[in-house]
Amino acid sequence: MRHVQHSVRLPIALDRTLRQLAARRETTPYALLQSCVRTGLALLTQENAAGPIPTALAEGLGQLGARIVHVERLTERALYVSCAAYVYARAAAPIRVDESRLTDDIDDAFQRQLALAGETP
């Protein structure tokens, strides 16, 4: 196989990204650049590149965006409810409650919930 040499000039931001990605993949920036060129050319030479693939991607991204907005709303609501529960609990607690004990109890409850959610090892 014969190779042809091309010179490529990249903006600094792209070069930085290329080097970081190459380091994460444990390869050289030059090898990653060759892979990017191969992948890009393969995508550009596909017959359907301008048809259903970008349309499907756009629809998928739109659906993903809508779900992210929904998750943000749910997260904000959960935070609001948590804050309300905290305020009501503080109001119901005796005046001379040891703050460190409350913090320990909160941390214990939080760790139990994380364990139930599968977030801790």
Side-chain angles (χ1 to χ4, degrees), residues 34-99:
Q34 286 182 342
S35 175
C36 290
V37 169
R38 283 189 196 100
T39 304
L41 287 174
L43 179 65
L44 290 174
T45 57
Q46 288 180 353
E47 293 179 1
N48 296 331
I53 293 176
T55 303
L57 286 175
E59 288 175 6
L61 287 174
Q63 291 173 356
L64 184 62
R67 288 181 184 211
I68 288 173
V69 169
H70 182 67
V71 168
E72 286 175 347
R73 279 193 224 124
L74 289 175
T75 304
E76 287 174 6
R77 181 66 183 157
L79 178 60
Y80 176 81
V81 170
S82 297
C83 290
Y86 174 77
V87 170
Y88 282 117
R90 292 283 303 185
I95 294 174
R96 296 187 186 257
V97 174
D98 184 19
E99 289 290 327

